[in-house]
Amino acid sequence: MPRKPAFLTAILLFISCLAVGQAPEKHTISGFVRDSLTGEALTGANVYVRELYKGGTTNAYGFYSFTVAAGEYTVVGSFIGYSDHIREVRLDRNIRLNIELGPSVITTQEVVVTGEKLDRNLQDAQLGRIGLDVDKVKALPALLGEVDLLKTLQLLPGVQSAGEGNSGFYVRGGGPDQNLILLDEAVVYNASHLFGFFSVFNSDAVKDIALTKGGMPAQYGGRLSSVLDITMKEGNMKEFHGEGGLGIVSSRLTLEGPIKKDTSSFIISGRRTFVDLFLREPFLDSESDAAGNSYYFYDLNTKINYRLSDRDRLFLSGYFGRDVFTFNNTASDFKVRIPWGNATASLRWNHLFSDRMFMNASLIFSDYKFRFNATQQQFDFALFSGIRDYNAKVDFSYFPNVNHNLKFGMNYVYHVFTPSNASARSGDVVFDLGDVVKFYAHDAALYINDEWSVTDELMVNAGIRASAFEQIGPFERYILDDLGIRIEDTISYGRGEKVALYHHVEPRLSARYRLNLQSSVKASFSQNYQYIHLASIGSVSLPTDVWVPSSDLVHPQFSTQYAAGYFRNFSDNMYETSIEAYYKTMENQVEYAEGHQPDEDVKNNVDNNFVFGKGESYGVELFFNKALGSLTGWVGYTLAWTNRQFDDLNQGEEYSFKYDRRHDISVVLSYEISRRWSLGAVWVYATGNALTLPQNRFFLVGPTDLGQAIQDPSTYGGLYNEPGPRNSYRFDAYHRLDISATLKSKKRKRYESYWTFAVFNVYNRYNPYFIYFDDYVDEETGAFQIQAKQVSLFPVLPSITYNFKF
């Protein structure tokens, strides 16, 4: 344990060095910035001294702190969409200045938002970080009217969708497991409903969304590609309110209000589909092909918080969501039930040690489960997998002076993995499919990060993260022969015994140099290790995918990313433009071996069926954003290359990753016609996904009768496929136009509502979802024919949603 004291000693020495030289007449201004109507903390609000144009930005809990020389100043608090708060202060001692900001009053038809530093894209040293406004997301057209935060992220440069209608996303050539998705600090392992078509995040319960796609700060770790940090609303501290909506797919309701005014509040938000209600009588005939099918999903978000004092505050939040698919064929007595979903809980304590030292301590629980149950007569079969985390962490923010924002902390996670397990029985007979297999692991990290304003032009964000991962017993390693087929021996590990141990150092560095008031350049370098892996058989991430730890066979994934960008604003920050270039290498990538079948995991270690390789990704991202005015929106373009190389796949040759896309374009527009009417439009274009197709198809037949083989190929071995080079073919390009119109009803004293009318895929583009091959015998010629056919999911789809607030 010598590392821990040495690390803490280094932090204390570093803090002491930062404090040296501060004149005794300097004093600190600190406090919280909140919404005056709801009491919600405002994240990213600016508080600064007008005379010096120096100050601070609020953290995720609304806290700010900065230290300047004694004097008389004008302190300004500002945030986008809010009126400025201006206060004259005499700074002859430390001052606690809590600020409440009220929404801006719009006196003209044009929507003009003021307050936030609109040149933040120029000022921040962080490269590749993008925040989304939830209200703007709600104004965009959505599939079947379901507002989807993850699908909106797919419209940003460098972020790609997983496919038609899918809410999965891929960042700068990474896989789906390489995105760290956090909801109030809890990891969400499967972020989608309906096999990927909708995300699990109810926008009515969300306050902030921030995506970091490169050069992530040292407080984040465990993933290679990105961090999606989502914060739930805290609940209205002032008065009781509610909102909800009724759509084609689901309905939702959110209630929030004070438990004790200005001291404690709650929020509870629920969402449920009602498709299953229409898959039964009287809406569906019992003789219909769809009879016996049922599907629904639901979400429940809850949160309460209590302000113990001006220095202490508690938060308790939770999420629970499930998808349930069932099939029941009474004629054959065949039943299937497939439930899966996430559960999370977060208990957090904020504490102010001083005007310059802020702490957040958290206890976090996260759980993901998948289960498949099938029954026919007396035979029962079950397949199940999952992952469960117990997490404790503490984070500190220290503000030694106006030029430094120091963050440091530690994190510990205990993982319990349940990879693919199966059970089967027929009546009283239980089949031996092996014991339930679980993997156990410790995951820990220490970090320190400093945002340093070196000069007015140069800002540096530098950090380092020390991480360690240990798989422990009980565990049984199956040893295979040289051909990897037969189990020759086993090695048993007792409870708590070390199976594999890894520890690494991860440097993070980003910098911004401001060229003038309108432009800046940025660069970043980061190295990341990822100790858990997602094993997927299919080409699309599904609930059946399994999470596994790094082990004696599976080494941690490792990436190095370089990025640089130029940022320029025009017309008093009305227009924002940027160009970013990146290059990323990835080591120890994981795939299943060629031809792997799920039954090979039974009575075996899952990782015995893995192969390992490397990847690289590089590209250029262009972004144009109109931030102000009645017409707002952005255009994003990505030119990218993403490759993989595995010695045991594709004959060792490099191949395109399945989500390698040369071109990706998004056009997003919102136009406010009047106070009541607004319009939205989204157009996307993307190079088709890479896929593997057969290059030859042939019969294995007898020596003489080819005609009989064509009539009945099964008697001669059947039709065989010879696959072509891996991912050497492309789907047709994907493109689609969506439009929407929102009509706000006349506002009443305690109630307001609005209708959203949307059309998905306006020009009815048949975008490819997958390709299959159909074979048949031509009745005229008698020739055997093979035809490739494309399956598309969504034609033109209109939708209507009614939303309300009270």
Coordinates of all heavy atoms in Angstrom, one line a residue, residues 108-109 111 671-679 740-748 752-757:
T108 N -39.3 40.5 -27.9 CA -39.5 40.5 -29.4 C -39.7 39.1 -29.8 O -39.5 38.2 -29.1 CB -38.3 41.1 -30.1 OG1 -37.2 40.2 -29.9 CG2 -37.9 42.5 -29.6
Q109 N -40.2 39.0 -31.1 CA -40.5 37.7 -31.6 C -39.2 36.8 -31.8 O -39.2 35.6 -31.6 CB -41.2 37.8 -33.0 CG -41.5 36.5 -33.6 CD -42.3 36.7 -34.9 OE1 -43.3 37.5 -34.9 NE2 -42.0 36.0 -35.9
V111 N -35.9 35.0 -31.0 CA -35.4 34.3 -29.8 C -34.0 34.7 -29.6 O -33.1 34.3 -30.4 CB -35.6 32.8 -29.8 CG1 -35.0 32.2 -28.6 CG2 -37.0 32.4 -30.0
Y671 N -36.6 26.4 -36.2 CA -37.1 27.8 -36.6 C -38.3 28.1 -35.8 O -39.3 27.4 -35.9 CB -37.4 27.9 -38.1 CG -37.8 29.2 -38.6 CD1 -36.9 30.3 -38.4 CD2 -39.1 29.4 -39.1 CE1 -37.3 31.6 -38.8 CE2 -39.5 30.7 -39.5 CZ -38.6 31.8 -39.4 OH -39.0 33.0 -39.8
E672 N -38.2 29.2 -35.1 CA -39.3 29.7 -34.3 C -40.1 30.7 -35.1 O -39.6 31.9 -35.2 CB -38.9 30.2 -32.9 CG -40.0 30.6 -32.0 CD -39.7 30.3 -30.6 OE1 -38.7 29.6 -30.3 OE2 -40.5 30.8 -29.7
I673 N -41.3 30.4 -35.6 CA -42.1 31.3 -36.4 C -42.7 32.3 -35.6 O -42.7 33.5 -35.9 CB -43.1 30.5 -37.2 CG1 -42.5 29.4 -38.0 CG2 -44.0 31.4 -38.0 CD1 -43.5 28.5 -38.7
S674 N -43.2 31.9 -34.4 CA -43.9 32.8 -33.5 C -43.8 32.3 -32.1 O -43.2 31.2 -31.9 CB -45.4 33.0 -33.9 OG -46.1 31.8 -33.8
R675 N -44.5 32.9 -31.2 CA -44.5 32.4 -29.8 C -45.2 31.0 -29.7 O -44.9 30.2 -28.8 CB -45.2 33.3 -28.9 CG -44.5 34.6 -28.6 CD -45.2 35.5 -27.7 NE -44.6 36.8 -27.5 CZ -43.6 37.0 -26.6 NH1 -43.2 36.0 -25.8 NH2 -43.0 38.2 -26.4
R676 N -46.1 30.7 -30.7 CA -46.8 29.5 -30.6 C -46.3 28.4 -31.6 O -46.4 27.2 -31.3 CB -48.3 29.7 -30.9 CG -49.0 30.6 -29.9 CD -50.5 30.7 -30.1 NE -51.1 29.3 -30.0 CZ -52.3 29.1 -30.3 NH1 -53.1 30.0 -30.8 NH2 -52.8 27.8 -30.2
W677 N -45.8 28.8 -32.8 CA -45.4 27.8 -33.8 C -43.9 27.8 -33.9 O -43.2 28.8 -34.0 CB -46.0 28.2 -35.1 CG -47.4 27.7 -35.3 CD1 -48.5 28.5 -35.2 CD2 -47.9 26.4 -35.6 NE1 -49.7 27.8 -35.5 CE2 -49.3 26.5 -35.7 CE3 -47.2 25.2 -35.9 CZ2 -50.1 25.3 -36.0 CZ3 -48.0 24.1 -36.2 CH2 -49.4 24.2 -36.2
S678 N -43.4 26.5 -34.0 CA -41.9 26.4 -34.3 C -41.8 25.1 -35.2 O -42.6 24.2 -35.2 CB -41.1 26.2 -33.1 OG -41.5 25.1 -32.3
L679 N -40.7 25.1 -36.0 CA -40.5 24.0 -37.0 C -39.1 23.4 -36.7 O -38.2 24.1 -36.2 CB -40.5 24.5 -38.4 CG -41.8 25.2 -38.9 CD1 -41.6 25.8 -40.3 CD2 -43.0 24.3 -38.8
S740 N -40.7 18.3 -38.3 CA -41.6 18.4 -37.2 C -42.2 19.8 -37.1 O -41.6 20.8 -37.6 CB -41.0 18.0 -35.9 OG -40.0 19.0 -35.5
A741 N -43.4 19.9 -36.5 CA -44.0 21.2 -36.2 C -44.5 21.2 -34.8 O -45.1 20.2 -34.4 CB -45.1 21.6 -37.2
T742 N -44.3 22.2 -34.0 CA -44.8 22.2 -32.6 C -45.7 23.4 -32.5 O -45.4 24.6 -32.9 CB -43.6 22.4 -31.7 OG1 -42.7 21.3 -31.8 CG2 -44.1 22.4 -30.2
L743 N -46.9 23.1 -31.9 CA -47.9 24.2 -31.7 C -48.2 24.3 -30.2 O -48.6 23.3 -29.6 CB -49.2 23.8 -32.4 CG -50.4 24.7 -32.1 CD1 -50.2 26.2 -32.5 CD2 -51.7 24.2 -32.7
K744 N -47.9 25.4 -29.6 CA -48.1 25.7 -28.2 C -49.5 26.2 -28.0 O -49.9 27.2 -28.7 CB -47.1 26.7 -27.7 CG -45.7 26.1 -27.7 CD -44.7 27.2 -27.1 CE -43.3 26.7 -27.1 NZ -42.4 27.7 -26.5
S745 N -50.3 25.6 -27.1 CA -51.6 26.1 -26.8 C -51.5 27.4 -26.0 O -50.4 27.7 -25.5 CB -52.4 25.1 -26.0 OG -52.5 23.9 -26.7
K746 N -52.6 28.1 -26.0 CA -52.6 29.4 -25.2 C -52.3 29.1 -23.7 O -52.9 28.2 -23.1 CB -53.9 30.1 -25.4 CG -54.1 30.6 -26.8 CD -55.5 31.4 -26.8 CE -55.6 32.0 -28.2 NZ -56.9 32.8 -28.3
K747 N -51.4 29.8 -23.2 CA -50.9 29.5 -21.8 C -52.0 30.0 -20.8 O -52.4 31.1 -20.9 CB -49.6 30.2 -21.6 CG -48.9 29.8 -20.3 CD -47.5 30.3 -20.2 CE -46.8 29.9 -18.9 NZ -45.4 30.4 -18.9
R748 N -52.3 29.1 -19.9 CA -53.2 29.4 -18.8 C -52.4 29.6 -17.5 O -51.2 29.4 -17.5 CB -54.2 28.3 -18.6 CG -55.1 28.0 -19.9 CD -55.9 26.8 -19.7 NE -56.6 26.5 -20.9 CZ -57.4 25.4 -21.1 NH1 -57.5 24.5 -20.1 NH2 -58.0 25.1 -22.2
E752 N -50.1 24.6 -19.2 CA -49.8 24.8 -20.6 C -49.5 23.5 -21.3 O -49.2 22.5 -20.7 CB -48.5 25.7 -20.6 CG -47.3 25.1 -20.0 CD -46.1 26.0 -20.0 OE1 -45.6 26.3 -21.1 OE2 -45.7 26.6 -19.0
S753 N -49.7 23.5 -22.6 CA -49.6 22.3 -23.4 C -49.1 22.6 -24.8 O -49.2 23.8 -25.2 CB -50.9 21.6 -23.4 OG -51.9 22.4 -24.1
Y754 N -48.7 21.6 -25.5 CA -48.3 21.8 -26.9 C -48.4 20.5 -27.6 O -48.3 19.4 -27.0 CB -46.9 22.4 -27.0 CG -45.8 21.6 -26.4 CD1 -45.0 20.7 -27.2 CD2 -45.4 21.7 -25.1 CE1 -44.0 20.0 -26.7 CE2 -44.4 21.0 -24.5 CZ -43.6 20.1 -25.3 OH -42.6 19.4 -24.8
W755 N -48.6 20.6 -28.9 CA -48.7 19.4 -29.8 C -47.5 19.4 -30.7 O -47.0 20.4 -31.2 CB -49.9 19.5 -30.7 CG -51.3 19.4 -30.0 CD1 -52.0 20.4 -29.4 CD2 -52.0 18.2 -29.8 NE1 -53.1 19.9 -28.8 CE2 -53.2 18.6 -29.0 CE3 -51.8 16.9 -30.1 CZ2 -54.1 17.7 -28.7 CZ3 -52.8 16.0 -29.7 CH2 -53.9 16.3 -29.0
T756 N -46.9 18.2 -30.9 CA -45.8 18.0 -31.8 C -46.2 17.1 -32.9 O -46.6 15.9 -32.7 CB -44.6 17.4 -31.1 OG1 -44.2 18.3 -30.1 CG2 -43.4 17.2 -32.1
F757 N -46.2 17.6 -34.1 CA -46.5 16.8 -35.3 C -45.2 16.5 -36.1 O -44.4 17.4 -36.3 CB -47.5 17.5 -36.2 CG -48.7 18.1 -35.5 CD1 -48.6 19.4 -35.0 CD2 -49.8 17.3 -35.4 CE1 -49.7 19.9 -34.4 CE2 -50.9 17.9 -34.7 CZ -50.9 19.2 -34.2

